[in-house]
Amino acid sequence: MAQVAHSDLHEWADVAEKSVLVLNYTMTCPLACDFCCYGCHPKRTEKMPIEKAKDLISQASKLSAFSSVGFTGGEIFSYEDELLELSDHLAKVGLPFTVATAGHWGASESHARSIASYLVRNGLRRANISCDEAHEKFVPRSSVVNSASALAELGIPVYVVGTFSRPNITTDSFLPELRGKSGVKLISKKVATVGRAKKFRIDYGSQELHSRVLTCYRQMHHDIVIFWDGSAYPCCSTFNRSTSGLRIGNAFEEALETIWGRADSSSLFRVIKRVGFGRLYEIVFSYDKSIAAKLPSPESFAGACSLCNNIFSNPALAMAVKAIFAQYEADQLIDAALRARQLFGQDVAAHLPEVWSFGAAEMEESHGCTFEA
């Protein structure tokens, strides 16, 4: 079984993050890529109200858990003026930010440099730019080169990400114009079969189960993703919106602190993120073998995100797994309290955290045990 990590997996950023507030600001996009996970296109109009975005940014700035804000979509630069206004607000509250974009705003070198300078001045610290065969149908690579170069020349780390369905093609081979450019890293990914890409048949290779990553991409912290309608998810997976069992609330109806706490206190998320799905399967099997038999075979999936989607997009299975983990969490608390009583005696209850001492009688009754030294 994998050991608990002390830093996040796949951390692209040169600056390590704590939790990140990710605003999936809009489904509007000048592109209509054939593998878009959210089915974005130019005629979609869903957009987060700018005042809601400002309020979430203000909330994040007051919580020590968040180290930055990320903007994604759709295409956040579809509302360029609003992005610039939001960057002003971020500078005011003292939070750095990142952007994910297809780079169409780099149509001219002068405009790319103007926008890059404005954003960097207000605290931009990383940019992810998508460029591959699907994106190039809508955005010429010259725009990508201009936007990436303008940011990199200002000292901002730029990650140009290509997503491919064909084997043996990489961002490095597809975009030689940026190969070796200082400050620019070229990242290659395979298409995830979600959204418009459900129809794709992708060869993910014949990796053995133990060699694949079956923990979340961020093991210690969270990407708290808030969509244009306020829906909140605990990760930035391309599968999140199609995984109803991962939804953790609505940030237009609850405080951001409440939503973050819901993700951070979850024993289910803690097991998935820090140890992996192998441990989830073990726990489910130990509590209910009939539910364990309904879990999909991990060997059938490319990685943790697609496996997670298969489990938690099934309402009945998701509910059953969550119920098991609620029991598992209660049992862990009871076991901890019993051990403390055995070590320190009956009077230790006065010094235990409130969560242990409060409701002890109820737990004793429901579980048929007593907290005696």
Side-chain angles (χ1 to χ4, degrees):
M1 188 63 62
Q3 297 297 309
V4 174
H6 297 289
S7 60
D8 286 338
L9 287 175
H10 312 314
E11 182 61 72
W12 290 355
D14 295 322
V15 178
E17 299 279 12
K18 294 191 290 184
S19 289
V20 177
L21 171 64
V22 180
L23 300 183
N24 199 308
Y25 196 71
T26 181
M27 295 291 100
T28 306
C29 187
L31 297 77
C33 298
D34 58 7
F35 59 74
C36 182
C37 58
Y38 300 131
C40 300
H41 57 73
K43 293 183 180 180
R44 292 191 66 172
T45 59
E46 303 99 313
K47 184 185 75 68
M48 185 179 291
I50 190 170
E51 293 307 320
K52 293 285 189 183
K54 287 182 178 179
D55 178 59
L56 287 167
I57 289 168
S58 294
Q59 290 184 61
S61 72
K62 297 171 183 176
L63 300 173
S64 60
F66 290 95
S67 58
S68 70
V69 172
F71 291 102
T72 185
E75 173 57 74
I76 181 63
F77 283 87
S78 295
Y79 300 94
E80 189 176 280
D81 289 345
E82 292 190 18
L83 174 60
L84 299 182
E85 185 176 341
L86 288 168
S87 77
D88 289 336
H89 187 64
L90 281 154
K92 180 180 178 181
V93 301
L95 266 183
F97 62 99
T98 65
V99 294
T101 175
H104 74 283
W105 50 276
S108 73
E109 289 186 17
S110 60
H111 186 71
R113 287 173 177 160
S114 173
I115 295 299
S117 296
Y118 196 106
L119 295 177
V120 172
R121 185 168 62 249
N122 276 342
L124 179 70
R125 72 178 184 191
R126 186 180 83 247
N128 293 355
I129 303 177
S130 299
C131 184
D132 45 51
E133 295 164 307
H135 287 78
E136 193 180 30
K137 293 177 181 177
F138 305 94
V139 178
R141 64 178 65 199
S142 60
S143 295
V144 173
V145 170
N146 288 342
S147 55
S149 299
L151 291 167
E153 288 165 9
L154 291 172
I156 300 301
V158 178
Y159 300 83
V160 179
V161 183
T163 305
F164 303 98
S165 59
R166 293 192 295 132
N168 304 320
I169 183 169
T170 65
T171 310
D172 188 74
S173 63
F174 181 78
L175 196 62
E177 295 92 332
L178 289 174
R179 189 186 303 154
K181 184 172 181 61
S182 178
V184 177
K185 294 183 180 179
L186 304 181
I187 308 293
S188 299
K189 297 171 60 179
K190 288 190 176 182
V191 169
T193 52
V194 63
R196 289 200 190 105
K198 282 184 177 180
K199 62 184 181 293
F200 282 45
R201 294 293 177 266
I202 307 298
D203 180 7
Y204 293 107
S206 57
Q207 289 176 294
E208 295 296 326
L209 177 62
H210 71 270
S211 68
R212 280 186 277 129
V213 176
L214 286 180
T215 65
C216 287
Y217 61 97
R218 298 202 69 195
Q219 291 188 286
M220 300 302 294
H221 302 291
H222 311 286
D223 289 330
I224 301 297
V225 180
I226 312 297
F227 279 83
W228 56 272
D229 59 356
S231 296
Y233 295 82
C235 68
C236 213
S237 165
T238 52
F239 291 90
N240 54 16
R241 189 75 173 188
S242 65
T243 312
S244 58
L246 289 182
R247 189 175 182 273
I248 54 173
N250 189 296
F252 296 169
E253 300 169 359
E254 300 177 280
L256 180 61
E257 183 176 20
T258 300
I259 288 172
W260 176 84
R262 192 170 290 143
D264 198 57
S265 64
S266 167
S267 59
L268 172 61
F269 293 157
R270 193 174 299 117
V271 165
I272 292 173
K273 290 169 71 72
R274 298 185 181 179
V275 187
F277 278 87
R279 179 58 180 152
L280 178 144
Y281 277 52
E282 290 173 357
I283 291 170
V284 171
F285 184 83
S286 70
Y287 277 85
D288 193 326
K289 294 179 178 60
S290 67
I291 297 300
K294 296 178 182 178
L295 294 172
S297 170
E299 289 84 353
S300 303
F301 299 90
C305 293
S306 53
L307 176 58
C308 184
N309 168 254
N310 190 273
I311 296 170
F312 293 102
S313 62
N314 180 328
L317 185 57
M319 185 177 297
V321 171
K322 288 179 178 180
I324 286 171
F325 268 82
Q327 185 65 56
Y328 169 75
E329 187 167 342
D331 290 345
Q332 294 290 103
L333 287 171
I334 291 168
D335 182 65
L338 285 169
R339 289 175 183 273
R341 295 292 176 96
Q342 291 167 355
L343 285 170
F344 302 112
Q346 188 74 16
D347 293 338
V348 77
H351 305 286
L352 287 173
E354 184 179 353
V355 69
W356 287 0
S357 56
F358 179 78
E362 290 84 350
M363 286 195 288
E364 289 176 0
E365 180 180 352
S366 63
H367 290 269
C369 60
T370 58
F371 294 117
E372 294 181 355

